[in-house]
Amino acid sequence: MSYAAYKMMHWPTGIDYCAAGFITHSPAEAAAFSSLPPTISGPEVDVDSSAARAPQRVGPTPNLVVVAANVLEVYAVRTDAVMGAQDGGTSSLAAVLDGISGARLELVCYYRLHGNIESMAVLSDGTENTRDSIALAFKDAKVACLEFDDSINGLRTSSMHCFEGPDWLHLKRGRESFAFGPVIKADPQGRCGAALFYGLQMIILKAAQVGQSFVGEDEPTRMLSSAAVRIDSSYVIDLRHLEMNHIKDFTFVHGYIEPVLVILHEQEPTWAGRISSKNQTCMISAFSISMSLKQHPMIWSSAKLPHDAYQLLAVPPPISGILVICANSIHYHSQSTSCSLALNSFSSQPDGSPETLKTSFHVELDAAKATWLSHDIVMFSSKNGEILLLTVVYDGRSVQRLDLMKSKASILSSGATTLGSSFFFLGSHLADSLLVQFSFGVPTSVLPDLADESADIEGDPPFAKRLKRIPSDVLQDVNSVEELSFHSNSVPNSLDSAQISFVVRDALINVGPLKDFAYGLRTNSDPNAAGIAKQSNYELVCCSGHGKNGTLSALQQSIRPDLITEVELPSCTGIWTVYYKSSRGIITEDNEYHAYLIISLESRTMVLQTGDDLGEVTETVDYNVQASTIAAGNLFGRRRVIQVYAKGARVLDGSFMTQELNFTMHGSESSLTSEPLAAASASIADPYVLLKMVDGTVRLLVGDHSNCTISVNAPTVFASSSERISSCTLHHDRGPEPWLRKARTDAWLSTGIGEATDGNDGFSHDQSDIYCIICFESGKLEIFEVPSFKCVFSVEDFVSGSAILSDDLSHTKDAVIGVPDATTVSVKKEETNNIKIVELAMHRWSGQFSRPFLFGLLNDGTLLCYHAYCYDGSESNAQCAPSSPNGSSDIDNASDSRLRSLRFHRVSIDVSARDDISSFTRPRITIFNNVGGYEGLFLGGPRPTWVFVCRQRFRVHPQLCDGPIVAFTVLHNVNCCHGLIYVTSQGFLKICQLPSAYNYDNYWPVQKVPLHGTPHQVTYYAEQSLYSLIVSVPVVRPLTQVLSSMADQELGLHIESDFTVGDDLQKVYTVDEFEVRIMELEKPSGRWETRFTIPMQPFENALTVRIVTLQNTTTKENETLMAIGTAYVQGEDVAARGRVLLFSFSKTENSQNLVTEVYSKESKGAVSAVASLQGHLLIASGPKITLNKWTGSELTAVAFYDAPLHVVSLNIVKNFILFGDIHKSIYFLSWKEQGSQLSLLAKDFGSLESFATEFLIDGSTLSLVVSDSDKNLQIFYYAPKMVESWKGQKLLSRAEFHVGAHVSKLLRIQMLPTQGLVSEKTNRFALVFGTLDGGIGCIAPVDELTFRRLQSLQRKLVDAVPHVCGLNPRSFRHFKSNGKAHRPGPDNIIDFELLSHYEMLSLGEQLDIAQQIGTTRSQILSNFSDFLLSTSFL
């Protein structure tokens, strides 16, 4: 029996839904915040004058909520205001609109749910001081409401509503499958929400009155922050009783006293063949919802709407009413007036109606997404990516007409939402989603002269110009900020004269839908690599996107830096680069080059100058080169360098020493008897250096700015306490507004003093506070002010990694309750005692709104990571502080200046280095502020990992290519711009740069190459590193030409004569033209070039391209050829046919053609799949599979098998064949050479719409994996000896699993053997899969022992972890058969999406759960780490 595990490696990126709402702040809070003067003004600009000059046209901006499959993300929009002084300077860099020079999205919180979100609405009551809630709907009939909770700085569930299960079966009326999932909408005034379930059941969700709710009674703290809208109760309306059969859309309208629900429904359905006689079949009905009486009288209705109506838009006040969007027309209806607008010649009017207005151009609006830019302008994003603007022309409350005008082209979007008064967001499933700023009637003088009329709103600027920058100025280059403005060409009215300008401000990367991918070598691959390092030679080249947004995405899981130079350097213990600022050169801090590279060896130190080239200057400098260095860095604003070694420290001015200190024992009176004491580690924060000594005490070196000297200071706080310090660090909180000051109780006091003292100095314009963070061996963490060493924050049990950290002293009330009983403690004490923090770091990266992160590295290799936030819940606790048990006054004084409202919440970070770290190791965390334009931290050690900080979220990318890394630092000089240096454990020093072609703000680093067509399939030719891919490009052709070439010859004549009448000659039709492109990734430049193109014939679709190895029967040699299978698509009247094409690659470099056609033959059916089987070619053409011999010029059939309908995929292992049918599941065949026959071994008798198939190999066990149209995965096996297999005819189910996304491709990759297990099977293959949502994951075999252990852990975690929205992971992973008959199979798959919650539990809970299932925490974590290691494929 073989077992499998499922793990997502790259989560979905294709955005399904987006919405705007004031989730984290109410509109009043946002307005107060945005009216503050911009704090980013430089030191030389007076704050008041810059505020006066910057026009505040941008109102309060709501949050953006986006949904990608089962991932929910909440973003905040951050804008950069323009400085008054540098107005002339900035406008040349970026487009300035409404006083804003840039905007970007910053992540507030993000969750991965156990269920796909089917629909989303934002509940908002439209008032100034309440927040909005998010309502999510899930299959089959579940609704969850989420609100933002300040105390945890995240979302929490405020109510859940479920209409499933035996009590609610009557709602289904016996139906099992429904065409679409639940839809949820909200009343604009926030009085109620409505959800449509099971096709015809409307659930009304009544909102609670403000101030009363389920949750808030026992929380006095809730009253401080603004409350959010909550749902109170719900009831069901059965729409069948209202004579409705088929509901298309519904929405709430504005302007009524009670909520009014308008429903668009179809009375009697029609279809395309009956439109001539029956086409006005839709109608709208408006119901007034009275929630107290549970009644819903109809107040008005309107019938005879076109059959293709599909969407309702509520018109905002003062107009109100409703817009009905149809494919060919738009209709406005209200209780009193109605008018309509025809969009093309297919729109039809009911008889006797007044003549409707027509647009001046033809457009089809089916599947368009809409959002209101203002109260009378609605923006549509159409199905081909055009942006259209519809103006509702009104007078008083009566609407006179509708005006539609074309705008620019943009992305193919899946949703659009307006964010405040000046931004909108286009979410897309097929392209990168865009944040766009718009403005009405901007005078052109403000805009730079880039108003290029042909520019489009596209997310992909030209590749070479897309430089990587720090996120705050992502889109400042002129090429990606296109100006768009347009004028209406209809009758001018008051609004048409106003232009609208657009600027793309930010983009969220999307790599979906992944239709196919190939596994090929990277440009900078290393042929000598072995083991796990060999994996980072490869990358995944994916077909993603669609139409004009089609791209080729190159994805990598691990980073392989571009090597500039390497030298051998054994026994290195650390490297540092330092600046040297001589008084002459005044350079901006950001771009200053490093001056020296300091390399610490085991017993000495080398110093290199980092000028034009690295030259060793060890002999000529005054560094202590006889001992190994512990730390080095800059002090006094980069005017001095400090070098710390075990016995002392030196301060250097360039290469000359200005001061030397020796460390001695503290507390002895005479200096003669003092013992020298060695330093173990050091942390530098200008002008302080914190030293941790060998005996576990700390020293502080204090610098004096006036004469650039330092002195030793031993803090007296720790002299009395006997606790040993396990690790410590300094945190430099600097910037225009030091962040931690906001968290103090006496915040208003400290700011005034700070400015005064900094001012006299004239040296630093930034204010800065320095804090010392110390972790004791007991696991307690304390934060002190430096240099006074006053404790401002303390947490008892930092080691355990609880979800929220808050200051213990400020919350005395809470602390008393949580005393556990002593018996359970003693058992766990032994296990927890050996877990210590070996390294701490705290840093706040750039950005006006960024908050500090706190990192703690445990000695078992776990990295704890916390994000700071402010939550002032202390009003209720303030009264409790004086009545403390001892009643002494010192507690009151102490709590005055504490960081009382500082809290930390834990962030999950996927770093798995399982190893025991001793307490005196080299530091592993290196923080960098600019490596190739990115900021973040680098974690050294046995599994080096990059953690990039993009949009205030972590992007974790491992680096596998060099094995363990012992030291790391950044280097910025002439030859290596913003690069890095690291030393491997084999003793090589490497100077590198990050590959600039990749974008690291994604789950995996990605490079996107625009193709301007839809990619369908890709395959890799390893000998010449070429990728062949099928691309279809949409081409517009005249309709006459299309029809004549499609029809048979004699029919063609009649068609021609019919078409000469009227103006139909001008009609055009879009057809997809297919071609096979052969692309290559060029070695030095890293750019993708098309080397050769093979065009297909008209109406011929290329369906498959594969590299096959055939045995030439005449020469008895193997040939590698490219096989292409095609089909002619000519409508249902013409018999299907296809072609098989074989191409050979030229061996010489300089030949004219890269490939030459060696064979082409037409076949009776569509050729949908090809594969090579032991030197023969296997072709699936139509419903027949044939096996062919290759003679060098001909293919001759030797065997065949009749498939049921249409083969979608073919896989081969040895002489076994697996194929998936479009409706009839999978078939398992074998090929016998001697009888030359293809014989059926077994098949799955169920009906299944297969998407992708592949073999799963675990040692000698062969399993068959298939994914289907209901988003499931099944694993089958062939066991002819089992009774239930009907003598081997039937494939038996080994496991089944619901992925929640359409798996479109499975790829078999050999797994790496992990260390430690000797009996490990070597012949193990995992399957990497890609989904249509842009996710990548793997299915991998696991051994039985691991499986049993992790499966029992998984069952525990279902109940042990609070799941977001209350969703049950077990029900989500159940096989979904969508109403079809299905016998449930075993659940022999473990789900790492659920298991990943284990690492986020606190230490005590981890030990408890491990004990309950009879294993240990370290055993579970090492299983996790082994699995991660063996599936690090890329």
Side-chain angles (χ1 to χ4, degrees):
M1 192 68 196
S2 172
Y3 302 92
Y6 160 90
K7 182 179 170 69
M8 285 302 287
M9 298 144 89
H10 180 289
W11 286 271
T13 55
I15 289 178
D16 300 320
Y17 307 103
C18 54
F22 289 94
I23 309 293
T24 59
H25 51 266
S26 64
E29 291 164 355
F33 184 77
S34 63
S35 61
L36 292 172
T39 49
I40 27 181
S41 53
E44 69 280 351
V45 182
D46 185 353
V47 173
D48 303 321
S49 64
S50 74
R53 252 175 283 171
Q56 282 294 335
R57 259 186 269 179
V58 178
T61 307
N63 297 98
L64 169 70
V65 187
V66 298
V67 165
N70 63 335
V71 178
L72 174 73
E73 297 176 323
V74 181
Y75 289 95
V77 180
R78 305 294 190 202
T79 55
D80 300 329
V82 182
M83 302 315 127
Q86 305 121 328
D87 222 14
T90 49
S91 56
S92 59
L93 274 177
V96 177
L97 212 55
D98 283 350
I100 288 182
S101 61
R104 63 197 173 281
L105 294 170
E106 248 175 42
L107 189 77
V108 178
C109 53
Y110 112 111
Y111 297 97
R112 304 205 289 263
L113 313 183
H114 297 290
N116 285 359
I117 297 167
E118 296 288 323
S119 173
M120 169 171 67
V122 170
L123 300 167
S124 154
D125 66 352
T127 55
E128 282 294 294
N129 43 16
T130 51
R131 298 187 182 181
D132 304 345
S133 309
I134 306 170
L136 302 174
F138 301 92
K139 280 246 188 339
D140 283 326
K142 290 187 277 283
V143 172
C145 299
L146 300 169
E147 62 182 52
F148 190 79
D149 185 355
D150 287 316
S151 61
I152 57 170
N153 198 51
L155 296 176
R156 69 151 174 208
T157 313
S158 62
S159 66
M160 302 187 293
H161 315 267
C162 181
F163 297 91
E164 295 174 16
D167 299 348
W168 299 98
L169 269 179
H170 62 279
L171 294 183
K172 289 189 174 188
R173 313 274 306 222
R175 281 188 64 178
E176 279 300 323
S177 109
F178 296 91
F180 49 88
V183 183
I184 187 163
K185 299 277 171 82
D187 176 49
Q189 267 107 13
R191 294 164 294 195
C192 66
L196 182 69
F197 290 135
Y198 303 130
L200 285 164
Q201 305 290 339
M202 185 71 75
I203 316 282
I204 302 294
L205 305 162
K206 177 173 180 279
Q209 297 299 314
V210 178
Q212 50 172 313
S213 64
F214 295 141
V215 206
E217 285 82 19
D218 55 336
E219 305 177 26
T221 55
R222 288 292 308 165
M223 299 313 294
L224 300 171
S225 62
S226 45
V229 182
R230 291 203 172 134
I231 297 297
D232 188 3
S233 58
S234 59
Y235 66 94
V236 183
I237 304 176
D238 187 352
L239 297 178
R240 279 186 188 77
H241 301 328
L242 304 173
E243 270 79 55
M244 295 191 189
N245 307 325
H246 176 203
I247 293 182
K248 293 189 150 191
D249 197 17
F250 65 98
T251 189
F252 287 95
V253 289
H254 299 259
Y256 287 89
I257 297 167
E258 285 204 307
V260 170
L261 185 67
V262 177
I263 300 179
L264 169 69
H265 55 111
E266 194 169 23
Q267 289 306 89
E268 322 166 37
T270 182
W271 68 287
R274 290 199 38 95
I275 286 175
S276 55
S277 60
K278 181 171 163 187
N279 59 8
Q280 271 98 21
T281 57
C282 290
M283 65 178 289
I284 50 174
S285 312
F287 298 92
S288 174
I289 307 287
S290 165
M291 287 175 288
S292 50
L293 304 171
K294 297 196 177 177
Q295 288 180 346
H296 37 271
M298 191 201 298
I299 51 177
W300 56 273
S301 73
S302 171
K304 291 211 164 175
L305 286 167
H307 73 281
D308 52 13
Y310 68 96
Q311 190 181 6
L312 295 177
L313 294 179
V315 184
I319 311 172
S320 38
I322 199 126
L323 282 177
V324 185
I325 314 299
C326 315
N328 306 309
S329 53
I330 300 177
H331 304 260
Y332 171 81
H333 284 278
S334 70
Q335 205 160 344
S336 49
T337 59
S338 69
C339 65
S340 63
L341 175 71
L343 304 175
N344 53 41
S345 55
F346 296 117
S347 62
S348 57
Q349 276 107 27
D351 307 328
S353 70
E355 189 63 36
T356 56
L357 285 167
K358 273 198 167 61
T359 51
S360 54
F361 53 91
H362 286 256
V363 64
E364 291 171 10
L365 262 194
D366 51 325
K369 304 290 179 244
T371 182
W372 290 92
L373 296 188
S374 71
H375 69 94
D376 57 349
I377 295 184
V378 64
M379 179 192 81
F380 290 101
S381 170
S382 73
K383 61 182 176 183
N384 52 5
E386 284 183 321
I387 285 191
L388 306 162
L389 292 178
L390 179 76
T391 309
V392 181
V393 184
Y394 66 103
D395 180 16
R397 285 202 67 169
S398 69
V399 172
Q400 292 163 345
R401 65 173 194 277
L402 306 171
D403 273 347
L404 188 72
M405 55 185 180
K406 264 191 180 173
S407 161
K408 297 297 177 184
S410 177
I411 56 172
L412 304 170
S413 61
S414 66
T417 182
T418 309
L419 298 163
S421 56
S422 49
F423 293 98
F424 64 85
F425 178 79
L426 288 175
S428 172
H429 207 103
L430 305 170
D432 293 356
S433 304
L434 306 181
L435 174 71
V436 184
Q437 185 186 349
F438 67 92
S439 176
F440 296 105
V442 175
T444 42
S445 59
V446 181
L447 303 172
D449 304 329
L450 356 144
D452 172 14
E453 282 306 311
S454 65
D456 289 342
I457 317 184
E458 295 284 1
D460 303 316
F463 180 76
K465 301 167 185 161
R466 188 174 55 212
L467 301 166
K468 292 286 166 291
R469 292 200 185 70
I470 295 178
S472 60
D473 36 52
V474 173
L475 290 164
Q476 283 202 354
D477 46 325
V478 175
N479 310 295
S480 65
V481 183
E482 284 117 358
E483 280 309 322
L484 314 171
S485 60
F486 38 79
H487 294 279
S488 161
N489 41 16
S490 58
V491 192
N493 94 29
S494 61
L495 264 160
D496 292 303
S497 53
Q499 297 175 321
I500 297 190
S501 337
F502 291 119
V503 187
V504 178
R505 288 301 191 195
D506 200 356
L508 297 180
I509 287 202
N510 168 28
V511 295
L514 295 175
K515 299 192 196 66
D516 189 29
F517 49 73
Y519 186 65
L521 282 174
R522 301 187 190 181
T523 45
N524 57 0
S525 58
D526 170 20
N528 308 324
I532 190 153
K534 187 177 177 185
Q535 297 302 318
S536 64
N537 279 343
Y538 294 95
E539 63 185 346
L540 219 50
V541 176
C542 313
C543 298
S544 55
H546 180 84
K548 63 179 184 183
N549 296 129
T551 56
L552 200 63
S553 304
L555 286 157
Q556 312 176 344
Q557 193 177 359
S558 61
I559 289 181
R560 173 183 281 277
D562 287 335
L563 189 66
I564 296 177
T565 173
E566 71 173 323
V567 283
E568 196 159 352
L569 185 76
S571 72
C572 167
T573 60
I575 46 177
W576 298 268
T577 43
V578 292
Y579 299 98
Y580 168 53
K581 189 179 274 183
S582 58
S583 50
R584 294 187 304 280
I586 300 166
I587 315 167
T588 55
E589 287 220 342
D590 308 334
N591 222 5
E592 189 183 340
Y593 287 155
H594 287 105
Y596 294 102
L597 168 66
I598 300 162
I599 301 173
S600 163
L601 305 176
E602 272 173 12
S603 58
R604 61 193 187 90
T605 297
M606 290 167 61
V607 182
L608 282 76
Q609 215 164 359
T610 58
D612 296 339
D613 48 357
L614 295 181
E616 188 171 344
V617 290
T618 310
E619 305 305 317
T620 59
V621 289
D622 291 347
Y623 284 85
N624 181 354
V625 294
Q626 302 310 316
S628 98
T629 304
I630 287 173
N634 286 91
L635 286 183
F636 312 121
R638 297 185 179 173
R639 287 183 293 179
R640 296 284 186 274
V641 175
I642 180 161
Q643 178 202 10
V644 180
Y645 43 95
K647 300 286 193 306
R650 291 189 183 190
V651 180
L652 298 107
D653 182 356
S655 55
F656 305 107
M657 178 167 76
T658 58
Q659 186 186 0
E660 180 168 21
L661 279 180
N662 288 327
F663 306 143
T664 55
M665 276 294 279
H666 174 67
S668 52
E669 282 77 23
S670 68
S671 55
L672 301 170
T673 58
S674 61
E675 297 274 321
L677 181 64
S681 66
S683 164
I684 301 172
D686 185 11
Y688 300 102
V689 182
L690 182 74
L691 306 169
K692 179 181 157 223
M693 307 315 245
V694 185
D695 65 348
T697 57
V698 293
R699 297 277 184 283
L700 182 72
L701 306 184
V702 184
D704 179 357
H705 264 299
S706 53
N707 55 7
C708 293
T709 55
I710 53 172
S711 53
V712 183
N713 168 8
T716 50
V717 187
F718 310 117
S720 55
S721 77
S722 57
E723 278 200 276
R724 285 176 61 93
I725 290 170
S726 71
S727 65
C728 56
T729 184
L730 289 177
H731 169 56
H732 195 162
D733 188 24
R734 57 191 244 183
E737 284 186 9
W739 191 84
L740 283 168
R741 286 188 190 181
K742 299 178 193 167
R744 321 227 344 200
T745 7
D746 52 354
W748 53 278
L749 282 173
S750 58
T751 48
I753 303 164
E755 278 161 16
T757 50
D758 273 2
N760 324 337
D761 186 58
F763 175 72
S764 78
H765 298 286
D766 281 358
Q767 312 166 24
S768 65
D769 301 338
I770 293 183
Y771 296 89
C772 161
I773 300 122
I774 290 187
C775 196
F776 298 96
E777 299 221 332
S778 63
K780 181 177 180 181
L781 174 98
E782 296 201 327
I783 300 182
F784 298 90
E785 277 183 352
V786 175
S788 63
F789 275 93
K790 193 163 60 175
C791 177
V792 291
F793 185 84
S794 66
V795 174
E796 265 314 309
D797 197 12
F798 177 66
V799 177
S800 70
S802 41
I804 304 280
L805 305 180
S806 59
D807 184 13
D808 287 340
L809 261 187
S810 315
H811 307 285
T812 41
K813 181 178 68 168
D814 317 344
V816 180
I817 306 162
V819 176
D821 50 308
T823 49
T824 57
V825 174
S826 60
V827 180
K828 286 203 223 101
K829 262 292 191 286
E830 289 126 42
E831 295 207 37
T832 48
N833 267 350
N834 51 20
I835 292 187
K836 297 185 181 53
I837 297 273
V838 289
E839 191 176 350
L840 279 171
M842 186 168 173
H843 191 74
R844 178 176 162 227
W845 279 279
S846 68
Q848 186 190 348
F849 298 96
S850 65
R851 312 194 306 273
F853 285 99
L854 173 67
F855 302 94
L857 188 64
L858 301 186
N859 57 356
D860 67 347
T862 314
L863 182 68
L864 297 179
C865 164
Y866 285 91
H867 202 173
Y869 63 98
C870 277
Y871 171 64
D872 194 14
S874 56
E875 310 299 310
S876 57
N877 304 327
Q879 294 86 24
C880 316
S883 60
S884 55
N886 50 6
S888 64
S889 61
D890 57 38
I891 293 214
D892 306 346
N893 301 343
S895 70
D896 257 5
S897 59
R898 294 182 74 87
L899 301 174
R900 173 172 292 184
S901 48
L902 172 67
R903 295 228 181 156
F904 291 93
H905 71 97
R906 178 130 179 236
V907 186
S908 72
I909 179 166
D910 196 17
V911 174
S912 82
R914 294 275 154 255
D915 59 328
D916 291 326
I917 308 170
S918 68
S919 50
F920 291 116
T921 51
R922 300 267 348 125
R924 293 189 169 183
I925 299 175
T926 312
I927 286 170
F928 58 85
N929 285 322
N930 190 344
V931 172
Y934 288 90
E935 47 185 13
L937 68 101
F938 182 83
L939 182 68
R943 292 216 55 197
T945 307
W946 290 84
V947 180
F948 293 103
V949 179
C950 306
R951 311 179 190 283
Q952 291 294 295
R953 82 184 286 174
F954 289 138
R955 298 297 197 180
V956 182
H957 306 308
Q959 177 176 327
L960 313 169
C961 56
D962 292 297
I965 287 178
V966 291
F968 171 95
T969 187
V970 293
L971 172 67
H972 178 48
N973 73 358
V974 184
N975 301 325
C976 175
C977 179
H978 296 302
L980 54 128
I981 306 179
Y982 59 89
V983 181
T984 66
S985 59
Q986 282 97 30
F988 285 96
L989 179 139
K990 302 193 173 190
I991 302 181
C992 305
Q993 277 178 311
L994 273 184
S996 59
Y998 288 83
N999 192 327
Y1000 298 94
D1001 181 18
N1002 187 30
Y1003 298 108
W1004 287 4
V1006 59
Q1007 174 186 7
K1008 293 187 74 174
V1009 187
L1011 296 171
H1012 307 298
T1014 308
H1016 295 277
Q1017 222 180 47
V1018 62
T1019 185
Y1020 178 62
Y1021 177 52
E1023 285 171 37
Q1024 297 182 24
S1025 293
L1026 300 173
Y1027 291 90
S1028 316
L1029 72 153
I1030 300 174
V1031 181
S1032 66
V1033 183
V1035 181
V1036 176
R1037 291 255 182 272
L1039 193 59
T1040 48
Q1041 184 186 336
V1042 174
L1043 285 169
S1044 61
S1045 57
M1046 274 183 75
D1048 292 331
Q1049 291 311 306
E1050 58 269 22
L1051 282 172
L1053 304 170
H1054 301 302
I1055 289 173
E1056 291 290 347
S1057 57
D1058 285 355
F1059 257 101
T1060 47
V1061 192
D1063 63 346
D1064 286 339
L1065 277 173
Q1066 276 75 49
K1067 287 203 176 158
V1068 291
Y1069 186 74
T1070 308
V1071 288
D1072 279 338
E1073 296 204 343
F1074 279 77
E1075 61 192 35
V1076 174
R1077 288 186 200 166
I1078 298 179
M1079 298 183 75
E1080 181 180 29
L1081 181 53
E1082 290 194 344
K1083 275 285 192 299
S1085 64
R1087 293 187 48 193
W1088 287 84
E1089 300 291 341
T1090 304
R1091 296 284 308 278
F1092 197 77
T1093 303
I1094 306 165
M1096 298 291 123
Q1097 294 174 4
F1099 301 102
E1100 183 181 30
N1101 290 13
L1103 298 183
T1104 180
V1105 58
R1106 287 289 175 252
I1107 302 292
V1108 292
T1109 305
L1110 303 183
Q1111 189 183 23
N1112 189 330
T1113 51
T1114 48
T1115 62
K1116 298 286 186 282
E1117 284 174 1
N1118 283 351
E1119 295 181 17
T1120 303
L1121 304 172
M1122 177 173 70
I1124 301 175
T1126 72
Y1128 289 94
V1129 179
Q1130 293 178 305
E1132 56 190 14
D1133 304 326
V1134 184
R1137 51 199 180 93
R1139 282 198 306 163
V1140 178
L1141 306 165
L1142 292 178
F1143 289 83
S1144 70
F1145 292 91
S1146 62
K1147 296 284 183 284
T1148 53
E1149 283 295 307
N1150 51 11
S1151 66
Q1152 298 297 304
N1153 288 343
L1154 184 67
V1155 293
T1156 46
E1157 185 179 312
V1158 291
Y1159 178 76
S1160 144
K1161 181 167 190 255
E1162 209 168 273
S1163 77
K1164 268 187 178 170
V1167 180
S1168 56
V1170 291
S1172 56
L1173 169 63
Q1174 297 181 344
H1176 297 59
L1177 183 65
L1178 195 60
I1179 299 171
S1181 67
K1184 184 176 276 194
I1185 295 180
T1186 55
L1187 189 68
N1188 300 274
K1189 276 194 314 201
W1190 172 241
T1191 62
S1193 58
E1194 279 298 319
L1195 284 175
T1196 50
V1198 289
F1200 72 93
Y1201 179 79
D1202 281 324
L1205 293 166
H1206 174 82
V1207 176
V1208 289
S1209 69
L1210 269 180
N1211 307 99
I1212 287 170
V1213 163
K1214 295 184 176 170
N1215 62 334
F1216 296 114
I1217 302 162
L1218 164 67
F1219 74 82
D1221 187 82
I1222 194 164
H1223 282 303
K1224 298 287 184 192
S1225 196
I1226 57 171
Y1227 284 69
F1228 185 42
L1229 316 176
S1230 78
W1231 152 248
K1232 294 193 181 61
E1233 187 83 54
Q1234 53 269 44
S1236 73
Q1237 61 179 8
L1238 289 172
S1239 53
L1240 176 69
L1241 293 176
K1243 65 176 186 175
D1244 173 25
F1245 281 82
S1247 70
L1248 192 72
E1249 299 177 2
S1250 318
F1251 263 51
T1253 57
E1254 189 52 272
F1255 288 103
L1256 183 65
I1257 301 171
D1258 180 13
S1260 57
T1261 320
L1262 188 69
S1263 310
L1264 299 85
V1265 180
V1266 57
S1267 67
D1268 64 43
S1269 60
D1270 290 323
K1271 306 184 180 182
N1272 303 309
L1273 259 169
Q1274 276 172 285
I1275 305 180
F1276 291 98
Y1277 66 108
Y1278 174 57
K1281 295 191 174 65
M1282 306 271 281
V1283 180
E1284 55 265 42
S1285 73
W1286 302 347
K1287 295 186 178 171
Q1289 298 177 59
K1290 184 180 179 197
L1291 290 171
L1292 300 177
S1293 172
R1294 179 162 276 159
E1296 56 184 29
F1297 188 78
H1298 183 68
V1299 179
H1302 286 122
V1303 173
S1304 53
K1305 164 78 175 180
L1306 291 158
L1307 175 74
R1308 192 170 69 234
I1309 300 180
Q1310 184 151 8
M1311 287 173 75
L1312 297 163
T1314 49
Q1315 290 81 28
L1317 295 171
V1318 186
S1319 62
E1320 186 79 40
K1321 301 169 182 164
T1322 50
N1323 187 27
R1324 282 198 137 167
F1325 287 82
L1327 300 183
V1328 173
F1329 64 81
T1331 72
L1332 294 184
D1333 296 328
I1336 298 170
C1338 69
I1339 299 279
V1342 287
D1343 55 277
E1344 183 167 1
L1345 189 67
T1346 310
F1347 173 78
R1348 296 273 177 236
R1349 181 183 300 123
L1350 295 182
Q1351 190 183 36
S1352 44
L1353 171 64
Q1354 178 174 316
R1355 288 180 179 147
K1356 265 272 174 285
L1357 287 176
V1358 172
D1359 307 324
V1361 179
H1363 301 294
V1364 190
C1365 296
L1367 293 166
N1368 187 336
R1370 282 191 60 190
S1371 76
F1372 177 46
R1373 294 308 183 187
H1374 261 279
F1375 187 92
K1376 307 275 192 293
S1377 61
N1378 197 12
K1380 297 192 277 288
H1382 175 77
R1383 279 188 62 190
D1387 56 343
N1388 286 336
I1389 292 192
I1390 45 179
D1391 175 19
F1392 270 91
E1393 283 294 272
L1394 175 55
L1395 292 174
S1396 65
H1397 288 292
Y1398 182 73
E1399 298 184 76
M1400 285 300 288
L1401 293 171
S1402 68
L1403 190 61
E1405 294 170 302
Q1406 288 185 10
L1407 295 168
D1408 273 350
I1409 290 178
Q1411 197 177 355
Q1412 285 165 6
I1413 62 173
T1415 179
T1416 62
R1417 168 179 180 268
S1418 56
Q1419 180 67 61
I1420 292 172
L1421 293 180
S1422 77
N1423 282 154
F1424 285 1
S1425 144
D1426 285 348
F1427 187 81
L1428 189 82
L1429 204 67
S1430 61
T1431 54
S1432 313
F1433 298 121
L1434 300 152

